[in-house]
């Protein structure tokens, strides 16, 4: 890619998008544009061309996409309804897209046959992107280590982390690794048509995650098991947690108990040259979020 191409980052204030934005800026080789619904307080670094707008607002997206070469596309919606218009708008301007999809997507199944609701919407967006004529790279990450930020209030307030399915195993991923893969795919050749299944380097149950946090934070933290119903009630009462995501999340955890342990991939290392970061490293990087 020639220097000073422009890359549009959607979801630029999110866990992954913020890292993508920072890493792209750090390359010094591209101009970075960001789309956010809250341009005034997005807290993005100077040097980013910040554009106000909703991804589903066609005029805003068209305007933000003008003159861009590549787009980092994250899908913030629970369904796929606006995806056709979004992908069309991107395809009219850019030649390359890196899609933040999900490890919940099952290969070889049409979107409507995907077993998990999260997989259903991401598979639909993947399909539209594949048919758009854009060069594309799909990232299918496993569960984000950043999901443990949902426990931050509990940890700030005491030593007990309450939740359901403490034995559910996950291969948590550091958002920095997802972003690093995304930046490679946005700025280097050789990633077109690739579907990258990304995982962290280890499998930890939720209860084990709390033990790692206790160790790193130097706190006597412990997991307390809640029933599905109590955890559901708790999450629904949490104003910061999207209600539409409560059942898919808890049902997904329940399924993890019976499923084979998550398979690990070395895709992060293959693409970036460095092994995926551990959950311990993630907690160290986020110490301040829990104190
Ligand atoms: N969490 C997981 O374990 C996991 C695992 C696999 C895949 N994923 C996928 O990763 C994505 C989430 O990424 P993330 O954690 O980096 O995001 P995040 O931290 O949840 O942040 C959400 C981002 O979406 C933006 N956004 C929300 N609604 C928007 C709208 N209508 N128009 C434009 N922007 C909008 C927000 O921007 P503003 O508020 O600034 O507008 C913010 O930057 C989802 O697609 C999820 O399915 C997550």
């Amino acid at each position: 890619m020639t220097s000073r191409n422009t890359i549009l980052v959607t979801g630029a204030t999110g866990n992954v998008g913020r890292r993508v934005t920072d890493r792209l800026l750090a390359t010094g080789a591209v101009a970075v544009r960001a789309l956010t619904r809250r341009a005034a307080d997005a807290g993005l670094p100077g040097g980013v061309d910040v554009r106000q707008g909703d991804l589903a607002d066609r005029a805003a997206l068209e305007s933000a996409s003008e003159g861009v070469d590549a787009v980092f596309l994250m899908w913030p919606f629970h369904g796929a309804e606006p995806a056709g218009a979004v992908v069309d708008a991107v395809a009219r301007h850019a030649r390359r897209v890196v899609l933040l999809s999900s490890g919940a997507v099952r290969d070889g199944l049409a979107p409507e046959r995907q077993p998990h609701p999260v997989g259903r919407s991401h598979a639909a967006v993947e399909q539209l992107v594949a048919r758009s004529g854009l060069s594309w790279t799909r990232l299918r990450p496993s569960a984000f280590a950043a999901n443990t930020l949902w426990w931050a209030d509990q940890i700030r307030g005491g030593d007990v982390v309450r939740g359901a399915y403490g034995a559910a195993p996950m291969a948590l991923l550091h958002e920095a690794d997802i972003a690093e893969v995304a930046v490679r795919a946005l700025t280097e050749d050789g990633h077109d048509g690739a579907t990258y299944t990304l995982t962290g380097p280890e499998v930890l149950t939720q209860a084990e995650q709390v033990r790692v946090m206790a160790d790193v934070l130097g706190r006597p933290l412990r997991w307390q098991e809640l029933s599905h119903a109590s955890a559901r009630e708790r999450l629904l009462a949490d104003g910061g947690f999207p209600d539409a995501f409560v059942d898919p999340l808890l049902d997904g955890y329940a399924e993890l108990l019976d499923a084979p342990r998550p398979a690990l991939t070395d895709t992060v290392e293959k693409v970036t040259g460095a092994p995926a970061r551990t959950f311990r490293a993630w907690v160290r990087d986020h110490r301040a979020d829990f104190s």
Side-chain angles (χ1 to χ4, degrees):
M1 189 176 276
T2 54
S3 63
R4 304 312 290 173
N5 279 342
T6 299
I7 297 180
L8 173 66
V9 180
T10 67
T13 60
N15 294 307
V16 181
R18 208 173 267 288
R19 296 275 188 157
V20 171
T21 304
D22 289 347
R23 290 290 303 118
L24 286 172
L25 273 183
T27 68
V30 292
V32 186
R33 196 178 287 170
L35 181 68
T36 167
R37 297 163 303 168
R38 46 192 175 106
D41 62 352
L44 290 163
V48 178
D49 174 8
V50 181
R51 303 293 181 90
Q52 169 77 34
D54 192 299
L55 194 59
D57 174 346
R58 199 173 180 130
L61 180 60
E62 286 280 355
S63 158
S65 303
E66 238 160 66
V68 305
D69 301 283
V71 174
F72 174 74
L73 181 60
M74 71 80 67
W75 195 249
F77 305 110
H78 293 291
E81 290 72 33
V86 168
V87 173
D88 276 356
V90 169
R92 252 197 303 285
H93 298 278
R95 64 183 180 85
R96 177 181 296 192
V97 65
V98 173
L99 175 65
L100 178 60
S101 180
S102 168
V105 176
R106 293 285 156 262
D107 261 334
L109 288 182
E112 62 280 7
R113 300 188 62 106
Q114 293 286 331
H116 196 274
V118 172
R120 223 166 288 148
S121 55
H122 280 295
V125 182
E126 283 190 1
Q127 192 176 67
L128 286 162
V129 166
R131 293 173 177 172
S132 67
L134 286 152
S135 293
W136 55 262
T137 309
R138 295 167 181 153
L139 313 185
R140 287 185 182 164
S142 60
F144 293 2
N147 293 350
T148 62
L149 291 169
W150 297 331
W151 299 334
D153 282 348
Q154 296 193 65
I155 290 175
R156 279 193 292 265
D159 291 327
V160 182
V161 176
R162 295 173 183 84
Y165 305 107
M170 300 165 195
L172 295 182
L173 253 181
H174 197 308
E175 62 277 1
D177 286 325
I178 308 170
E180 190 58 44
V181 172
V183 167
R184 299 294 180 122
L186 286 162
T187 59
E188 296 175 351
D189 290 328
H191 303 283
D192 291 349
T195 298
Y196 290 137
T197 299
L198 308 174
T199 73
E202 67 210 322
V203 174
L204 294 170
T205 66
Q206 295 199 90
E208 288 167 342
Q209 293 159 31
V210 171
R211 286 206 282 280
V212 171
M213 297 175 93
D215 200 29
V216 175
L217 301 175
R219 298 265 310 275
L221 301 175
R222 64 186 170 84
W223 176 264
Q224 189 181 91
E225 187 72 19
L226 295 181
S227 68
H228 183 115
S230 312
R232 184 171 188 275
E233 200 175 310
R234 202 183 164 95
L235 287 169
L236 287 171
D238 179 342
F241 200 90
D243 285 1
F245 193 52
V246 170
D247 287 325
L249 179 81
L250 291 174
D251 294 346
Y253 287 171
E255 283 162 22
L256 285 175
L257 290 185
D258 298 325
R261 271 172 90 75
L264 301 179
T265 71
D266 58 359
T267 312
V268 168
E269 183 162 12
K270 280 199 171 124
V271 175
T272 69
R277 292 161 171 88
T278 61
F279 182 59
R280 183 169 289 274
W282 182 91
V283 180
R284 278 199 294 266
D285 290 346
H286 287 268
R287 206 185 287 272
D289 292 319
F290 297 97
S291 52

